[in-house]
Amino acid sequence: YGRVSILPRPIIATTGSIDCIYDDMSHSNETVTASGTYGLCTGHYFSDVLAPSFVDAVSGEKNTATFLIRRASGEDVTHNYDIAYVYGPVTVRPRPITVKTEGYNGVYDGMTHADGAPTVHGEYGLCSGHEMQILLAAKFKDVVSNAENKVEIAIFCDTRNVTSNYDITYDY
């Protein structure tokens, strides 16, 4: 009798990428595509895709989604494939904001002067539910000339410090 040998079908499975600006929302991409000399057999498809979710600012991560390959009848045929994985890149970029302080002009009066709370400007602003806390603020009592009204802030979502998810530019 003759021998039968059926080798696993080689494919390249590429997972989808993520590229967004931090918005305190969960991001994932369940897209998987097949390429290579053969691709998936006719009627076969990717199913049960489980992709990791990303919320905080990250760079250099990979979309290590897992999946099954099924034939049209729904039967799992993943074992019939020799899969090379290409994981899509994941980038959640820090949210750009500008923190601005106001100036003060006045005549020496012996009082300490610190301008009001800094304000956030720019296209994005703070995410919903996030609040700015002042860590350090300049205060002036004596005569000064051309001093910057410096401030340093932290950003919180409830009690969680999320400052690292923001790209903060200060405008004094």
Side-chain angles (χ1 to χ4, degrees), residues 14-49:
T14 303
T15 61
S17 62
I18 298 170
D19 186 1
C20 62
I21 291 178
Y22 172 77
D23 59 4
D24 200 27
M25 305 292 283
S26 179
H27 295 275
S28 66
N29 187 337
E30 295 182 347
T31 302
V32 181
T33 57
S35 61
T37 304
Y38 297 99
L40 293 179
C41 292
T42 302
H44 290 195
Y45 60 94
F46 293 107
S47 75
D48 305 301
V49 178

Side-chain angles (χ1 to χ4, degrees), residues 83-105:
I83 304 169
Y85 296 88
V86 176
Y87 296 120
V90 174
T91 303
V92 179
R93 290 176 273 133
R95 188 178 190 88
I97 62 170
T98 299
V99 174
K100 183 175 177 147
T101 59
E102 297 301 322
Y104 172 80
N105 288 311

Side-chain angles (χ1 to χ4, degrees), residues 117-131:
T119 54
V120 175
H121 297 269
E123 179 180 349
Y124 295 99
L126 296 179
C127 291
S128 179
H130 290 197
E131 293 182 0

Side-chain angles (χ1 to χ4, degrees), residues 15-172:
T15 61
S17 62
I18 298 170
D19 186 1
C20 62
I21 291 178
Y22 172 77
D23 59 4
D24 200 27
M25 305 292 283
S26 179
H27 295 275
S28 66
N29 187 337
E30 295 182 347
T31 302
V32 181
T33 57
S35 61
T37 304
Y38 297 99
L40 293 179
C41 292
T42 302
H44 290 195
Y45 60 94
F46 293 107
S47 75
D48 305 301
V49 178
L50 295 175
S53 293
F54 299 87
V55 175
D56 292 330
V58 296
S59 180
E61 295 289 327
K62 300 289 183 193
N63 181 5
T64 55
T66 60
F67 53 84
L68 297 176
I69 299 173
R70 297 188 184 275
R71 49 173 67 132
S73 65
E75 178 187 355
D76 180 0
V77 293
T78 309
H79 63 279
N80 289 314
Y81 287 86
D82 179 15
I83 304 169
Y85 296 88
V86 176
Y87 296 120
V90 174
T91 303
V92 179
R93 290 176 273 133
R95 188 178 190 88
I97 62 170
T98 299
V99 174
K100 183 175 177 147
T101 59
E102 297 301 322
Y104 172 80
N105 288 311
V107 175
Y108 175 74
D109 59 7
M111 304 292 289
T112 299
H113 295 277
D115 211 32
T119 54
V120 175
H121 297 269
E123 179 180 349
Y124 295 99
L126 296 179
C127 291
S128 179
H130 290 197
E131 293 182 0
M132 175 175 44
Q133 279 188 7
I134 299 172
L135 300 178
L136 179 66
K139 295 182 183 194
F140 304 96
K141 182 175 184 179
D142 295 322
V143 174
V144 295
S145 176
N146 265 347
E148 290 181 330
N149 189 12
K150 290 187 176 184
V151 67
E152 184 180 325
I153 66 157
I155 301 170
F156 287 85
C157 180
D158 295 321
T159 58
R160 186 170 69 109
N161 187 330
V162 294
T163 307
S164 64
N165 291 308
Y166 286 85
D167 179 14
I168 303 171
T169 301
Y170 290 95
D171 181 8
Y172 306 120

